[in-house]
Amino acid sequence: MNNDTNLFIEVASSQKIKSGESISGDTCIISSNDSKNRITLILSDGLGSGIKAAVLSSLTTSMALRLFQNCGDCVSVTETIMKTLPVCSVRKISYATFTMVEIQEKRLVRVVEYDNPPIVVFRGGDLIEKEKQYFKFEHPILGEQKFSYMEFELQLGDRLICFSDGVTQSGMGERKYNFGWQWENAVLYISEVISSDPDVSARDLSDKIISKAWANDVFQAKDDITCACVYCRKPRKLLVVTGPPYDEQKDSYIAYVLKNYPGKKIICGGTTANIIARELGKEIKVDINDRSDDLPPIAYMEGVDLVTEGVITLSKLFRRLESLNQVSMQGVLRPSNLIDKMALLFLHSDVICFLVGTRINEMHQNPDLPVELDIRRNIVRRIKEILERRFLKEVQIEFV
Amino acid sequence: MKKKITVQICTGTNCYVFGGANLLDLEKNLPSEVKEKVEVKGATCLGFCKDKKYGKAPFVLVEDELVSEADVHKVIKKVMQYVDKVVD
């Protein structure tokens, strides 16, 4: 078992829908099991585009996810899926292709590929080739079918990148890439991105790859463009201190934790900010002109990345996170907006620690309040759940 | 005597939801002849909401004087009491 807290598996996916379609025919699911020791990523490309392709690829991903998570034998699971999938009666090809990546205990990687562009593996800045095993079986309609399987040990700095053929075929027919961008050029591009930014996150890398493919198509995607990246990295940490401690004697503790925390820092709450400023001898400046989204203005404190109001801001953050999904973040979040800026700080972190003061502000329970204010710890619990379930973050909460 | 009159608007949750949000544009509502003599600042929770003896939110401090249930009109009125004391 590898419970190394210095390792974090970041998984992110990005997507552009084929121009003129309202729904993507590619589906990408990223999921972790309840005990969080197994991450599964499945990218499926449905035949054609639009609703029909979307139904086929979501059918494939949900079936594959269920089977891979509950059955250890990848090879027999893959055969079962391939035999179950519907077949196009005209073209005699399967209705959906897929790539499955599974990471156990932050160490063992297993990859099954069926007809998608080959997965790309980078160790640091170098493309590495892992040996694949090929399996063949007789399909009742399609005849002989082939899929590949590989497994290897994940190391710090490893990246796995998979994409649909909308990436490799992007730009087809355009002057620059007559035959499409192709796998080799995509790999070259990935290599350039990594060498110019060796710590590039999975999120940014997948966003960059689809943006490039979209540009190849002159910003009118000719097919659904989907990319998913896995990055085994040292965790980027974020501390969120919110609420005054129940016991005033703990005031110095929250200030101490914040001061010594090795990562980004957010304070949510005016009283909390006052306590920390007092304990650390810092000054707080509120900029009344810097406000957005009907929220109280933000404040500034040396050594802290963001200082905001407490419960209203956290409630809005929760609703914003709820409105996002794993593949639709690119271009949606605007750093000029406070909640989006905050959401980006969360999404660009891997391990998020909440230090939650449990002293109840009695005024927040006033029935005359024009808005409903939820209890802080409940909002934080909901944020934790969505960050873990939807964005695969590691979230810890300490109540003080 | 100080050059400018300091106005601190509490931006704590309670003050904000009870109408403090409308006070943040106070500067724009100040009479033009007064604007230069006043410095409008935001403050993290000033703590007055935690004790009923101070009255109701929103709270604004004009210099050291507390204005409770503050609205733009009340704050400007308080500011005007100070304006004459300011030495140009």
Side-chain angles (χ1 to χ4, degrees):
Chain A
M1 235 174 104
N2 182 8
N3 280 328
D4 194 345
T5 49
N6 290 318
L7 281 185
F8 182 83
I9 311 295
E10 186 200 357
V11 192
S13 65
S14 317
Q15 192 167 63
K16 288 277 180 205
I17 300 173
K18 181 180 176 182
S19 177
E21 294 289 358
S22 56
I23 189 169
S24 172
D26 297 347
T27 302
C28 183
I29 297 186
I30 301 165
S31 174
S32 76
N33 63 347
D34 289 340
S35 49
K36 293 177 196 136
N37 59 359
R38 194 194 293 193
I39 296 171
T40 313
L41 156 71
I42 298 168
L43 192 160
S44 174
D45 181 351
L47 185 68
S49 60
I51 302 284
K52 189 184 79 174
V55 169
L56 292 161
S57 61
S58 12
L59 172 79
T60 309
T61 43
S62 34
M63 178 167 53
L65 181 68
R66 184 71 61 88
L67 287 170
F68 282 122
Q69 279 193 339
N70 293 302
C71 175
D73 183 358
C74 286
V75 173
S76 63
V77 163
T78 308
E79 274 187 33
T80 308
I81 294 167
M82 288 167 70
K83 282 177 182 164
T84 314
L85 281 172
V87 172
C88 175
S89 54
V90 180
R91 295 161 70 180
K92 294 283 180 237
I93 52 174
S94 175
Y95 264 126
T97 62
F98 65 89
T99 303
M100 188 284 299
V101 180
E102 183 191 77
I103 300 149
Q104 286 182 25
E105 310 286 1
K106 298 183 184 174
R107 178 163 288 179
L108 177 68
V109 182
R110 304 198 294 176
V111 181
V112 175
E113 295 177 275
Y114 173 52
D115 258 9
N116 268 348
I119 193 163
V120 179
V121 184
F122 268 82
R123 180 153 289 165
D126 301 322
L127 176 73
I128 55 168
E129 280 187 38
K130 290 284 175 190
E131 198 182 329
K132 289 181 185 176
Q133 285 174 273
Y134 289 90
F135 292 88
K136 288 177 185 169
F137 71 98
E138 202 58 35
H139 189 283
I141 303 168
L142 301 173
E144 189 180 86
Q145 291 294 297
K146 197 169 80 166
F147 63 92
S148 74
Y149 172 80
M150 68 169 167
E151 61 176 49
F152 64 94
E153 292 240 331
L154 198 64
Q155 290 183 13
L156 180 67
D158 281 2
R159 285 187 172 86
L160 287 87
I161 303 120
C162 54
F163 31 75
S164 62
D165 61 5
V167 170
T168 46
Q169 292 174 9
S170 64
M172 193 179 278
E174 301 294 339
R175 191 175 296 171
K176 195 169 176 190
Y177 301 113
N178 227 341
F179 300 103
W181 198 21
Q182 300 193 30
W183 190 85
E184 289 73 14
N185 287 319
V187 170
L188 200 62
Y189 176 73
I190 295 164
S191 162
E192 284 166 11
V193 171
I194 296 172
S195 68
S196 68
D197 180 3
D199 296 323
V200 63
S201 65
R203 162 93 275 132
D204 289 347
L205 183 58
S206 70
D207 282 351
K208 281 188 163 130
I209 293 166
I210 62 147
S211 294
K212 178 74 174 132
W214 192 45
N216 293 341
D217 273 342
V218 202
F219 308 107
Q220 293 224 309
K222 295 189 180 73
D223 191 2
D224 299 306
I225 297 171
T226 308
C227 176
C229 295
V230 176
Y231 181 22
C232 178
R233 61 185 305 153
K234 283 187 179 166
R236 299 163 298 176
K237 294 183 167 187
L238 171 69
L239 173 72
V240 184
V241 185
T242 180
Y246 184 73
D247 182 353
E248 278 178 31
Q249 289 185 333
K250 288 274 182 83
D251 284 2
S252 55
Y253 170 72
I254 63 166
Y256 174 82
V257 172
L258 179 116
K259 189 183 171 193
N260 295 296
Y261 191 77
K264 302 243 180 211
K265 301 160 191 185
I266 301 180
I267 300 174
C268 294
T271 309
T272 320
N274 290 341
I275 290 170
I276 289 167
R278 184 194 69 215
E279 293 290 327
L280 300 179
K282 304 262 187 202
E283 202 186 336
I284 308 171
K285 275 191 183 153
V286 178
D287 183 354
I288 52 173
N289 298 314
D290 194 349
R291 54 187 207 270
S292 50
D293 252 358
D294 297 330
L295 284 167
I298 64 167
Y300 297 91
M301 193 193 297
E302 187 203 338
V304 182
D305 296 275
L306 192 61
V307 182
T308 72
E309 179 275 341
V311 286
I312 306 175
T313 309
L314 285 170
S315 300
K316 283 218 172 186
L317 174 75
F318 171 71
R319 286 200 290 275
R320 188 69 174 121
L321 290 172
E322 216 180 13
S323 74
L324 299 170
N325 65 44
Q326 290 162 343
V327 292
S328 70
M329 280 180 281
Q330 204 217 16
V332 176
L333 294 167
R334 291 169 292 126
S336 56
N337 172 289
L338 168 60
I339 289 297
D340 284 7
K341 185 178 173 179
M342 209 168 162
L344 282 168
L345 273 170
F346 277 77
L347 298 173
H348 287 163
S349 302
D350 305 313
V351 173
I352 296 151
C353 301
F354 281 95
L355 191 55
V356 184
T358 52
R359 196 190 312 162
I360 300 274
N361 186 339
E362 284 180 19
M363 297 315 294
H364 291 188
Q365 312 309 315
N366 181 349
D368 295 333
L369 274 176
V371 290
E372 199 179 323
L373 297 180
D374 207 339
I375 294 173
R376 192 184 306 269
R377 67 182 107 170
N378 293 343
I379 307 170
V380 172
R381 280 198 189 107
R382 286 205 293 270
I383 294 176
K384 171 184 159 75
E385 199 201 329
I386 199 161
L387 286 172
E388 286 182 338
R389 187 169 38 82
R390 195 173 294 179
F391 302 103
L392 305 186
K393 306 293 181 191
E394 282 180 24
V395 185
Q396 297 141 12
I397 303 181
E398 182 185 347
F399 293 108
V400 280
Chain B
M1 183 78 65
K2 277 199 289 183
K3 188 104 177 136
K4 281 193 173 185
I5 301 159
T6 308
V7 177
Q8 287 189 75
I9 302 164
C10 178
T11 61
T13 310
N14 218 30
C15 286
Y16 188 82
V17 297
F18 272 114
N22 304 323
L23 292 166
L24 295 169
D25 289 325
L26 177 75
E27 205 160 355
K28 289 179 196 156
N29 294 303
L30 286 170
S32 52
E33 69 274 17
V34 178
K35 266 185 191 165
E36 285 185 6
K37 297 174 184 171
V38 180
E39 186 185 10
V40 181
K41 295 199 285 193
T44 46
C45 182
L46 293 168
F48 294 112
C49 58
K50 283 154 190 133
D51 196 334
K52 282 182 184 159
K53 75 177 181 194
Y54 294 113
K56 289 180 179 172
F59 295 99
V60 171
L61 272 175
V62 179
E63 290 292 304
D64 293 331
E65 233 179 302
L66 183 66
V67 182
S68 59
E69 289 182 80
D71 56 31
V72 172
H73 180 71
K74 267 174 113 171
V75 176
I76 291 179
K77 204 170 150 193
K78 183 62 74 186
V79 167
M80 294 310 280
Q81 289 174 10
Y82 277 86
V83 166
D84 298 335
K85 298 181 196 168
V86 175
V87 178
D88 284 320

